[in-house]
Amino acid sequence: MSSQPEPELTSRQYQRKVAAEFTGSLLFQFLAGVAALSSVKYGLAAAALGIGFSYMVISFALRGISVGHLNPAVTVSLLVTQPKGYNIDWVLCCMYITAQIIGSIIGMFMVVFLIPMDTPPCNNPDGCNPVDPLVYYSLFMARGTLTGSHGLSVFLMEFFCTSALVWVFYGTSVDPHGKAHNLAPLAIGFAMIVGVFAEGPGTGASMSPARSLAPAVVKGSYEYLFAPLAATLLAGIVTGLVYNYLFLFDEHVPDLYHITAAPGQHDAEGYQSKIKGGDGYSRL
C-alpha cells in the first residue's frame, strides 16, 4: 500500500490549533475546578458530572480545529505513537502542551479569584456545619484521602483511570475503524465521569498532568505532585503504544478493509478515505 505524505501545516493553522488548546484548557480547568469545589455541598456526582460534561462540550466546540486534546497525556501519546492521519511533530506537541498548561494555570487563577475557598459563613450555628478550609484546599489541588500517605496507590489509580481515558480517545478519535466519529467527545466525557467516580475520593481524579500542575503553580505547593504527573504521562504513552500495536498496524489494513470497503473502491483507498476524513486533510 502506498502512503501519501501528510500536508504541511501553515503558520495560520498552527496558530488556530494552539489558540484552541489554550482557550479550551482555560475554560475546562475553570469549569472542572468549580465543579470539584461544588462537591462539598452536592457530593461526588456534582464533581464527576461537572468535570466530564465540561470536557465534553468544550471538546465538541474544538473538534474541527484541534480535536480538543485538552490534556498533555493525550498530546504526548500521539507524538510517541504517530498514528495515521495525525500530523503532529515535536514543535506542535510542545506548543500544544505549553498552551494547555498556561491555559490551565489561568483557569485556576480564575477559580481562586471568583470562588471563596475559606470556611463559608454560618448564620445559624444549630443548622449549619462549617466546612474545614482544608477540604476546599484538597479539592482545589485535585488531591484525595490517599494523597500523601499512599503514593503507590495514587500512582496506580491515576495510571489506570488515565489509561481508560486515553484508550477511549484512541478508539473514538484515532482509530479509523471507530464508529463514534463526531460523537467522540461524548464517549471521552463519559470516560472522564467514570474516572472521577472511580478515583475521585482517593486521589482527586486528575487524569491529566495539567489538572495537577496548574493548581500547584497557583498555590505554590508542589508536594505530592510526582505520582499524578508520572502516572498520567506514562499511562498516555503506554496506552497509546498498546492500542497502536494491537489495532492500528498498517501492514494489515487491506485485509481489515476487505469486507468493509465500498463496492468498486479499493481497500487501501477506503482506508485513506477514512483516515483523511474524505477531504484530504489530516485529523490532528
Side-chain angles (χ1 to χ4, degrees), residues 55 67-69 74 78 165-174 188:
Y55 174 86
V67 182
H69 295 185
V74 171
L78 293 172
L165 178 67
V166 175
W167 190 273
V168 173
F169 184 92
Y170 269 74
T172 57
S173 296
V174 178
I188 302 168

Side-chain angles (χ1 to χ4, degrees), residues 72-149:
V74 171
T75 304
V76 170
S77 179
L78 293 172
L79 174 69
V80 172
T81 58
Q82 290 291 312
K84 278 285 188 179
Y86 277 75
N87 183 18
I88 186 167
D89 55 23
W90 278 101
V91 174
L92 188 59
C93 176
C94 291
M95 294 172 69
Y96 263 37
I97 293 175
T98 301
Q100 291 161 357
I101 292 176
I102 294 177
S104 296
I105 292 173
I106 295 175
M108 293 312 286
F109 268 117
M110 290 172 58
V111 174
V112 172
F113 180 75
L114 297 175
I115 308 296
M117 287 183 289
D118 54 354
T119 303
C122 188
N123 297 324
N124 181 12
D126 295 330
C128 178
N129 296 317
V131 178
D132 189 337
L134 291 177
V135 174
Y136 284 101
Y137 179 80
S138 179
L139 292 170
F140 177 82
M141 298 294 291
R143 296 175 181 174
T145 57
L146 299 177
T147 304
S149 58

Side-chain angles (χ1 to χ4, degrees), residues 146-282:
L146 299 177
T147 304
S149 58
H150 297 81
L152 180 60
S153 297
V154 171
F155 179 90
L156 292 175
M157 292 181 72
E158 286 285 5
F159 180 89
F160 287 117
C161 288
T162 306
S163 294
L165 178 67
V166 175
W167 190 273
V168 173
F169 184 92
Y170 269 74
T172 57
S173 296
V174 178
D175 194 339
H177 306 87
K179 303 300 182 182
H181 303 299
N182 288 330
L183 292 179
L186 189 68
I188 302 168
F190 276 112
M192 195 167 289
I193 291 173
V194 172
V196 176
F197 274 120
E199 65 161 335
T203 68
S206 170
M207 291 181 282
S208 166
R211 282 236 325 129
S212 295
L213 185 60
V217 172
V218 171
K219 287 295 186 180
S221 175
Y222 301 96
E223 294 179 303
Y224 318 122
L225 197 57
F226 175 78
L229 286 182
T232 51
L233 285 173
L234 185 62
I237 294 172
V238 171
T239 304
L241 289 173
V242 171
Y243 196 101
N244 193 65
Y245 177 78
L246 292 178
F247 304 117
L248 301 179
F249 35 86
D250 295 340
E251 62 271 22
H252 297 300
V253 165
D255 293 332
L256 291 171
Y257 275 88
H258 180 70
I259 297 176
T260 59
Q265 185 181 44
H266 191 271
D267 300 311
E269 293 173 353
Y271 176 70
Q272 289 291 339
S273 176
K274 284 205 170 190
I275 66 173
K276 295 292 185 182
D279 56 7
Y281 290 97
S282 61

